[in-house]
Amino acid sequence: MRVIVAEDSALLRDGLRRLLVDEGYTVVDAVGDGAALVESVSRHLPDLVVADVRMPPTHTDEGLRAAVEIRRRWPSIGVLMLSQYVEQRYAVDLLTGHGTRVGYLLKDRVADVGEFLEALARVGAGGTAFDPEVVRQLLRRTTHTDPLTKLTGRERDVLDAMAQGHNNASIAARLHVSQSAVEKHVRSIFDKLGLAGADGYSRRVLAVLRYLGE
Protein backbone atom coordinates (compact mmCIF):
# COMPACT_ATOMS: atom_id res chain seq x y z
CA MET A 1 0.00 0.00 0.00
CA ARG A 2 1.42 3.42 -1.04
CA VAL A 3 1.49 6.10 1.65
CA ILE A 4 2.41 9.80 1.97
CA VAL A 5 3.45 11.11 5.41
CA ALA A 6 2.88 14.80 6.24
CA GLU A 7 4.45 16.00 9.49
CA ASP A 8 6.38 19.22 10.15
CA SER A 9 8.61 17.67 12.82
CA ALA A 10 11.51 16.14 10.89
CA LEU A 11 12.17 13.67 13.69
CA LEU A 12 8.59 12.42 13.88
CA ARG A 13 8.24 12.45 10.09
CA ASP A 14 11.28 10.21 9.70
CA GLY A 15 10.12 8.00 12.57
CA LEU A 16 6.72 7.48 10.94
CA ARG A 17 8.34 6.79 7.57
CA ARG A 18 10.67 4.17 9.05
CA LEU A 19 7.84 2.53 11.01
CA LEU A 20 5.62 2.26 7.96
CA VAL A 21 8.40 0.90 5.76
CA ASP A 22 9.20 -1.70 8.43
CA GLU A 23 5.53 -2.72 8.43
CA GLY A 24 5.53 -3.27 4.66
CA TYR A 25 4.03 0.01 3.45
CA THR A 26 5.59 1.88 0.52
CA VAL A 27 6.19 5.49 1.59
CA VAL A 28 6.22 7.40 -1.71
CA ASP A 29 6.83 10.82 -0.12
CA ALA A 30 7.23 12.60 3.22
CA VAL A 31 6.44 16.33 3.38
CA GLY A 32 6.39 19.08 6.00
CA ASP A 33 3.39 21.33 5.24
CA GLY A 34 -0.16 21.28 3.90
CA ALA A 35 0.55 22.81 0.49
CA ALA A 36 3.32 20.30 -0.16
CA LEU A 37 0.96 17.51 0.89
CA VAL A 38 -1.71 18.42 -1.67
CA GLU A 39 0.92 18.83 -4.38
CA SER A 40 2.49 15.47 -3.50
CA VAL A 41 -0.88 13.71 -3.51
CA SER A 42 -1.67 15.11 -6.98
CA ARG A 43 1.69 13.79 -8.21
CA HIS A 44 1.75 10.34 -6.57
CA LEU A 45 -1.95 9.50 -6.03
CA PRO A 46 -1.23 7.30 -2.98
CA ASP A 47 -3.60 4.85 -1.32
CA LEU A 48 -3.22 6.51 2.09
CA VAL A 49 -2.17 9.80 3.68
CA VAL A 50 -0.97 10.10 7.27
CA ALA A 51 -0.98 13.79 8.20
CA ASP A 52 -0.53 16.05 11.20
CA VAL A 53 -3.34 18.56 11.76
CA ARG A 54 -1.10 21.50 12.67
CA MET A 55 1.62 22.38 10.18
CA PRO A 56 3.41 25.49 8.82
CA PRO A 57 3.04 28.36 8.25
CA THR A 58 0.54 29.12 11.05
CA HIS A 59 0.67 25.76 12.86
CA THR A 60 -3.10 25.79 13.34
CA ASP A 61 -5.10 23.59 10.95
CA GLU A 62 -3.19 23.54 7.64
CA GLY A 63 -2.92 19.76 7.63
CA LEU A 64 -6.60 19.26 8.29
CA ARG A 65 -7.61 21.75 5.60
CA ALA A 66 -5.30 19.97 3.17
CA ALA A 67 -6.95 16.66 4.12
CA VAL A 68 -10.42 18.09 3.48
CA GLU A 69 -9.26 19.22 0.02
CA ILE A 70 -7.74 15.78 -0.67
CA ARG A 71 -10.97 14.08 0.34
CA ARG A 72 -12.90 16.44 -1.93
CA ARG A 73 -10.63 15.98 -4.97
CA TRP A 74 -9.62 12.31 -4.51
CA PRO A 75 -12.26 10.64 -2.30
CA SER A 76 -10.81 7.15 -2.82
CA ILE A 77 -7.59 8.12 -0.99
CA GLY A 78 -7.66 7.16 2.70
CA VAL A 79 -6.72 9.84 5.24
CA LEU A 80 -5.57 9.29 8.81
CA MET A 81 -5.12 12.53 10.77
CA LEU A 82 -2.87 12.84 13.81
CA SER A 83 -3.15 15.68 16.32
CA GLN A 84 -2.67 16.71 19.91
CA TYR A 85 -6.06 18.46 19.74
CA VAL A 86 -9.54 18.04 18.31
CA GLU A 87 -10.09 20.74 15.67
CA GLN A 88 -13.86 20.45 15.69
CA ARG A 89 -14.82 22.60 12.70
CA TYR A 90 -12.63 20.92 10.11
CA ALA A 91 -12.89 17.54 11.82
CA VAL A 92 -16.61 17.56 11.12
CA ASP A 93 -15.95 18.60 7.50
CA LEU A 94 -13.47 15.77 7.12
CA LEU A 95 -15.58 13.11 8.79
CA THR A 96 -18.87 13.99 7.15
CA GLY A 97 -17.65 14.47 3.57
CA HIS A 98 -17.20 10.72 2.96
CA GLY A 99 -17.93 8.04 5.51
CA THR A 100 -15.13 5.60 4.73
CA ARG A 101 -11.33 5.47 4.60
CA VAL A 102 -10.91 8.19 7.19
CA GLY A 103 -9.53 8.41 10.71
CA TYR A 104 -8.58 10.93 13.37
CA LEU A 105 -6.26 9.93 16.22
CA LEU A 106 -4.78 12.01 19.03
CA LYS A 107 -1.01 11.79 19.19
CA ASP A 108 -1.07 10.49 22.74
CA ARG A 109 -2.81 7.41 21.33
CA VAL A 110 -0.16 7.04 18.60
CA ALA A 111 2.37 6.29 21.34
CA ASP A 112 0.76 2.84 21.27
CA VAL A 113 2.32 1.64 18.01
CA GLY A 114 0.07 -1.38 17.77
CA GLU A 115 -3.07 0.75 18.11
CA PHE A 116 -1.78 3.20 15.49
CA LEU A 117 -0.97 0.45 12.99
CA GLU A 118 -4.31 -1.23 13.60
CA ALA A 119 -6.10 2.07 12.93
CA LEU A 120 -4.04 2.67 9.78
CA ALA A 121 -4.82 -0.81 8.48
CA ARG A 122 -8.51 -0.27 9.18
CA VAL A 123 -8.56 3.01 7.21
CA GLY A 124 -6.56 1.42 4.39
CA ALA A 125 -9.10 -1.40 4.20
CA GLY A 126 -11.93 1.08 3.72
CA GLY A 127 -13.00 1.52 7.33
CA THR A 128 -12.81 4.28 9.89
CA ALA A 129 -10.74 4.92 13.01
CA PHE A 130 -11.60 7.67 15.46
CA ASP A 131 -9.96 8.44 18.76
CA PRO A 132 -12.47 8.08 21.63
CA GLU A 133 -11.73 11.66 22.73
CA VAL A 134 -12.54 12.96 19.23
CA VAL A 135 -15.86 11.17 19.35
CA ARG A 136 -16.62 12.49 22.83
CA GLN A 137 -15.95 16.09 21.79
CA LEU A 138 -18.06 15.75 18.64
CA LEU A 139 -20.83 14.22 20.68
CA ARG A 140 -20.72 17.19 23.06
CA ARG A 141 -21.25 19.53 20.09
CA THR A 142 -24.80 18.30 19.79
CA THR A 143 -25.98 18.33 23.37
CA HIS A 144 -27.87 21.54 22.73
CA THR A 145 -29.92 19.82 20.05
CA ASP A 146 -30.92 17.25 22.65
CA PRO A 147 -31.75 14.08 20.66
CA LEU A 148 -28.81 12.30 22.27
CA THR A 149 -30.42 12.75 25.65
CA LYS A 150 -32.96 10.17 24.50
CA LEU A 151 -30.26 7.50 24.54
CA THR A 152 -29.67 5.25 27.51
CA GLY A 153 -26.21 5.03 29.05
CA ARG A 154 -25.58 1.69 27.34
CA GLU A 155 -26.76 3.08 23.99
CA ARG A 156 -24.29 5.95 24.41
CA ASP A 157 -21.53 3.41 25.04
CA VAL A 158 -22.49 1.57 21.85
CA LEU A 159 -22.70 4.81 19.83
CA ASP A 160 -19.32 5.92 21.13
CA ALA A 161 -17.69 2.63 20.07
CA MET A 162 -19.59 2.55 16.78
CA ALA A 163 -18.45 6.06 15.85
CA GLN A 164 -14.85 4.99 16.54
CA GLY A 165 -15.25 2.44 13.75
CA HIS A 166 -15.80 -0.76 15.71
CA ASN A 167 -18.15 -3.38 14.28
CA ASN A 168 -20.87 -5.10 16.30
CA ALA A 169 -18.71 -8.07 17.26
CA SER A 170 -15.94 -5.77 18.49
CA ILE A 171 -18.39 -3.62 20.44
CA ALA A 172 -19.87 -6.73 22.08
CA ALA A 173 -16.41 -7.84 23.18
CA ARG A 174 -15.50 -4.37 24.48
CA LEU A 175 -18.74 -4.01 26.47
CA HIS A 176 -18.94 -7.67 27.54
CA VAL A 177 -22.42 -8.18 26.10
CA SER A 178 -23.79 -10.42 23.34
CA GLN A 179 -23.67 -9.36 19.71
CA SER A 180 -27.46 -9.61 19.51
CA ALA A 181 -27.69 -7.13 22.40
CA VAL A 182 -25.44 -4.71 20.50
CA GLU A 183 -27.57 -5.11 17.37
CA LYS A 184 -30.65 -4.29 19.44
CA HIS A 185 -28.98 -1.17 20.86
CA VAL A 186 -27.90 -0.06 17.36
CA ARG A 187 -31.45 -0.37 16.05
CA SER A 188 -32.70 1.62 19.03
CA ILE A 189 -30.03 4.32 18.52
CA PHE A 190 -31.00 4.86 14.89
CA ASP A 191 -34.68 4.87 15.78
CA LYS A 192 -34.14 7.52 18.46
CA LEU A 193 -31.90 9.64 16.24
CA GLY A 194 -34.18 9.36 13.23
CA LEU A 195 -31.61 7.36 11.26
CA ALA A 196 -33.44 4.08 10.98
CA GLY A 197 -33.02 4.01 7.19
CA ALA A 198 -29.23 3.70 7.46
CA ASP A 199 -27.76 0.21 7.20
CA GLY A 200 -24.35 -1.28 6.53
CA TYR A 201 -21.20 -0.77 8.58
CA SER A 202 -19.86 2.32 6.79
CA ARG A 203 -23.18 3.91 6.09
CA ARG A 204 -24.26 3.73 9.70
CA VAL A 205 -21.06 5.50 10.83
CA LEU A 206 -21.53 8.10 8.11
CA ALA A 207 -25.14 8.62 9.14
CA VAL A 208 -24.18 9.16 12.78
CA LEU A 209 -21.34 11.54 11.92
CA ARG A 210 -23.50 13.49 9.52
CA TYR A 211 -25.99 13.85 12.29
CA LEU A 212 -23.27 15.01 14.68
CA GLY A 213 -22.11 17.59 12.17
CA GLU A 214 -25.48 19.24 11.76
Side-chain angles (χ1 to χ4, degrees), residues 126-145:
T128 56
F130 306 128
D131 190 284
E133 182 58 27
V134 174
V135 174
R136 276 193 287 273
Q137 292 201 29
L138 294 179
L139 285 171
R140 280 201 291 270
R141 293 179 74 256
T142 63
T143 52
H144 66 285
T145 60

Side-chain angles (χ1 to χ4, degrees), residues 2 10 20 24 27 35 41 46 52 62 71 75-76 87 90 92 94 100 105 112 129 147 157 164 180 187-188 198 202:
R2 302 167 71 252
L20 295 179
V27 179
V41 167
D52 189 8
E62 282 85 352
R71 296 287 287 171
S76 65
E87 301 288 351
Y90 290 107
V92 170
L94 177 70
T100 60
L105 299 181
D112 185 328
D157 293 339
Q164 291 173 45
S180 62
R187 287 194 297 271
S188 179
S202 296

Side-chain angles (χ1 to χ4, degrees), residues 4 20 67 91 127 148 160 170 185 194:
I4 291 177
L20 295 179
L148 290 172
D160 185 86
S170 176
H185 288 311

